[in-house]
Amino acid sequence: MTFEIKDDFYLEGKPFKVISGSIHYFRVVPEYWRDRLEKLRLMGCNTVETYVPWNKHEPQEGVYDFTGGNDLRRFIKIAQEVGLYVILRPAPYICAEWEFGGLPYWLLQDPQMKLRFSYEPFMKKTANYFAQLFPQVTDLQITQGGPIILMQVENEYGSYANDKAYLRQIAQLMIDNGAEVPFVTSDGPWDDMLVNGTLPDIALPTINCGSDIKKWFQTLREFHGEKKPLMVMEFWIGWFDAWGDDHHHTTSVEAATKELRDVLAEGSVNIYMFHGGTNFGFTAGANYYEKLAPDVTSYDYDALLTEWGDTTPKYEAFQKVISEYVDLPQFELSTKILKKAYGSVKAGERVALFQTLDRLATPVHSAYPLPMEELNQGTGYIYYRSNLGGPRMIKDFRLISVMDRVNLFINEQPLMTLYDQEISEKQAFQLTAATNELGVLVENLGRVNYSVKMNHQHKGIKDGVIVNGAFQSEWDIYSLPMDNLDQVDFTGEYVAGQPSFTRFELKIDEVGDTFMALPGWGKGFVTINGFNLGRFWEVGPQKRLYVPAPVLNTGVNEIIVFESEGKVGETIEFSDQPDLG
């Protein structure tokens, strides 16, 4: 089969309007992939688009994973079975409000690293990754009987840089690794982005925007300079939430539907997002303009399907518009999904972090603090401990190049909490004990996924700790990626006010999707049966975590809540209703 870009898109020689929706396989449990894809097809879409996050598939350099929830090949094959074509965006960079924009943390182990530039070490590591990624998908291109009709070169590069040599190298790497389908780029249609980020001779420029479609299509038409298909690669129909926002972002159904009608009247579309899904674990990214804005666990996005997969009024309105262009398919959904309210569960065992620290990590001793990256740690927390000596006034205490959130302790008792820009400010405090041990618990709240801060995303303590004007030396450092909570020793002591682990048992007769609330709790994350649901934080707006049924078992389910602020409740609650704020 053939898919071509000429004056229009052509499938097997016939004009083809791409009507696509975004589903990120890595934000949905694989047991629900088919359900989400079927709902996309039933809305009338003929294509699904997905990013590919490098850091999910190569979490440590040279260690690759295309299994389970990372089985991109299976997701693409299910899409074909459902009757969908596929747009693949393999990056290396994806943005997507995802940890580090999909780049693996270990790139920062090179002190000279220049991300997303024609920098030889970056290109070599990208080439190594592509050599593993592309064998998963090359035979799934439409040229070989598969559903992939388009691949994207990089992502929104025009808002980052204008290194055309780099873009051409990425495109050539894709070709060298077997890419045969047509290429596209996607950029904002304003300022210099189209000029910076496109390769019109080898990739069709497309645009990303959420409003004023007619205006931006005219801009794109003028940029093309000749008759080429118009496409919005990211038609933003919602938005994402950051911790501390005062509400969950939503958009007008009427306004979004009008814009969809304008898109389809002149060109093709990929709806971003059709289904947002969830930033499970520590995968949420962050933005940074005037201040740090880490993304919440939910990636609901006010999409056409909710985070938990329900259709919405916006879905129905879009389906009606799409039905004016295609015949809507009709078939029964194949996945039975229930919602369950399991009620309140009382806390069981509880232990302070410091009482089980040596079970979770073997300390590394260093004359100076080391950031996560130098300890081969990508996400989670890191704890630093050093002896400050005897009683005295500390007049000048500063943390130098430290991200993102810090809990300070003296002799394991809370001293203060610092966040973002507060971290570098000078602090003062009194030491009163004969011996004073400083503890610094640093949390990675998600590496920035967009713009100029990306080259400066070392987490933990990068430079050092100033105590009365001088760098403090001799540190014990505990890496806490929190991926081994089976090692937590709950026979240890709980100390009020300290970070802690609390264990619960949820006993159920039937599994179903549910929503977990933590009344009275401060900040932390939750695992169920070893699966990391993601972060919670009392600042909101998100108030409940989505728990998909496939992570639950009939019978006993072990739940572990880590809380960093010394603010714990005595119960957790399971409802059949979400609360995104």
Side-chain angles (χ1 to χ4, degrees), residues 13 46 82 113 117 153 188 211 222 274 279 329 339 362 451 462 468 500 535 546 549:
N46 52 35
V82 169
M113 178 55 64
F117 274 94
V153 180
S211 59
E222 292 169 0
F274 170 75
N279 297 314
K339 292 190 186 68
T362 300
S451 196
K462 185 173 186 291
N468 277 345
S500 64
R535 303 179 179 98
Y546 169 55

Side-chain angles (χ1 to χ4, degrees), residues 192-213:
D192 297 338
M193 293 180 185
L194 281 169
V195 174
N196 290 345
T198 57
L199 298 170
D201 56 323
I202 60 174
L204 175 73
T206 68
I207 57 174
N208 299 344
C209 56
S211 59
D212 295 327
I213 298 296

Side-chain angles (χ1 to χ4, degrees), residues 240-304:
F240 50 90
D241 300 333
W243 292 114
D245 286 352
D246 58 9
H247 66 280
H248 168 53
H249 291 89
T250 59
T251 58
S252 160
V253 174
E254 292 75 19
T257 305
K258 175 192 174 298
E259 295 291 346
L260 175 67
R261 194 178 298 278
D262 288 346
V263 176
L264 293 180
E266 295 189 74
S268 291
V269 69
N270 175 56
I271 300 160
Y272 193 100
M273 296 289 300
F274 170 75
H275 173 54
T278 309
N279 297 314
F280 293 118
F282 301 129
T283 59
N287 283 284
Y288 204 114
Y289 298 102
E290 290 79 21
K291 62 181 181 179
L292 179 65
D295 296 309
V296 303
T297 298
S298 170
Y299 197 65
D300 178 84
Y301 208 87
D302 195 34
L304 305 183

Side-chain angles (χ1 to χ4, degrees), residues 5-59:
I5 301 175
K6 298 179 181 177
D7 61 321
D8 202 345
F9 294 118
Y10 287 88
L11 177 66
E12 287 291 275
K14 297 179 180 178
F16 183 79
K17 186 180 289 290
V18 180
I19 307 176
S20 174
S22 293
I23 303 175
H24 298 155
Y25 63 96
F26 46 93
R27 281 183 160 124
V28 183
V29 292
E31 293 88 347
Y32 286 169
W33 286 347
R34 186 176 296 272
D35 175 75
R36 293 358 182 204
L37 289 164
E38 286 177 347
K39 287 169 180 171
L40 179 65
R41 185 72 190 98
L42 287 168
M43 195 179 74
C45 286
N46 52 35
T47 305
V48 62
E49 174 273 321
T50 187
Y51 281 129
V52 182
W54 182 359
N55 55 13
K56 284 287 281 183
H57 295 295
E58 193 178 1

Side-chain angles (χ1 to χ4, degrees), residues 221-511:
R221 188 179 289 108
E222 292 169 0
F223 182 79
H224 284 330
E226 57 184 290
K227 178 65 173 171
K228 290 183 179 179
L230 302 175
M231 183 170 184
V232 181
M233 183 56 70
E234 289 186 17
F235 171 40
W236 304 324
I237 54 91
W239 207 244
F240 50 90
D241 300 333
W243 292 114
D245 286 352
D246 58 9
H247 66 280
H248 168 53
H249 291 89
T250 59
T251 58
S252 160
V253 174
E254 292 75 19
T257 305
K258 175 192 174 298
E259 295 291 346
L260 175 67
R261 194 178 298 278
D262 288 346
V263 176
L264 293 180
E266 295 189 74
S268 291
V269 69
N270 175 56
I271 300 160
Y272 193 100
M273 296 289 300
F274 170 75
H275 173 54
T278 309
N279 297 314
F280 293 118
F282 301 129
T283 59
N287 283 284
Y288 204 114
Y289 298 102
E290 290 79 21
K291 62 181 181 179
L292 179 65
D295 296 309
V296 303
T297 298
S298 170
Y299 197 65
D300 178 84
Y301 208 87
D302 195 34
L304 305 183
L305 292 190
T306 62
E307 178 186 6
W308 47 98
D310 285 353
T311 59
T312 64
K314 199 182 294 183
Y315 176 101
E316 295 170 0
F318 275 38
Q319 185 181 53
K320 184 176 180 181
V321 173
I322 292 170
S323 71
E324 298 170 10
Y325 291 87
V326 300
D327 294 328
L328 297 179
Q330 292 185 338
F331 55 85
E332 294 295 320
L333 293 169
S334 60
T335 308
K336 181 182 178 182
I337 300 175
L338 304 174
K339 292 190 186 68
K340 304 290 287 187
Y342 298 116
S344 180
V345 182
K346 292 184 179 180
E349 302 161 299
R350 179 173 286 160
V351 63
L353 168 65
F354 304 134
Q355 299 297 309
T356 191
L357 193 58
D358 288 310
R359 288 284 297 270
L360 291 172
T362 300
V364 171
H365 188 81
S366 173
Y368 42 85
L370 301 170
M372 286 185 178
E373 293 76 15
E374 291 191 36
L375 296 170
N376 296 316
Q377 180 185 353
T379 56
Y381 301 73
I382 187 167
Y383 185 66
Y384 302 84
R385 195 166 63 187
S386 185
N387 187 354
L388 294 183
R392 66 195 188 279
M393 183 67 189
I394 304 300
K395 299 178 181 178
D396 178 9
F397 179 89
R398 281 173 286 151
L399 296 160
I400 311 300
S401 298
V402 179
M403 292 189 280
D404 294 310
R405 196 165 187 274
V406 176
N407 295 89
L408 293 172
F409 304 88
I410 297 295
N411 295 328
E412 298 184 350
Q413 294 305 305
L415 176 65
M416 67 182 76
T417 298
L418 302 171
Y419 175 58
D420 189 22
Q421 296 166 10
E422 300 171 329
I423 293 174
S424 61
E425 295 174 358
K426 184 186 293 188
Q427 308 292 336
F429 52 87
Q430 182 77 43
L431 298 178
T432 58
T435 302
N436 296 275
E437 179 185 271
L438 172 67
V440 186
L441 180 66
V442 186
E443 179 183 2
N444 170 6
L445 275 167
R447 289 181 180 82
V448 167
N449 52 254
Y450 183 80
S451 196
V452 298
K453 293 278 187 179
M454 289 192 65
N455 281 297
H456 306 280
Q457 289 302 303
H458 292 82
K459 300 300 184 180
I461 303 176
K462 185 173 186 291
D463 287 348
V465 178
I466 297 295
V467 177
N468 277 345
F471 280 109
Q472 174 74 9
S473 66
E474 303 308 324
W475 294 87
D476 288 323
I477 310 170
Y478 294 79
S479 288
L480 298 169
M482 299 297 195
D483 56 2
N484 61 339
L485 299 194
D486 59 322
Q487 297 300 308
V488 173
D489 180 7
F490 282 103
T491 66
E493 181 184 3
Y494 168 66
V495 181
Q498 293 185 5
S500 64
F501 298 94
T502 305
R503 185 175 180 273
F504 298 79
E505 284 191 352
L506 171 66
K507 298 177 182 178
I508 58 177
D509 296 325
E510 184 179 30
V511 300

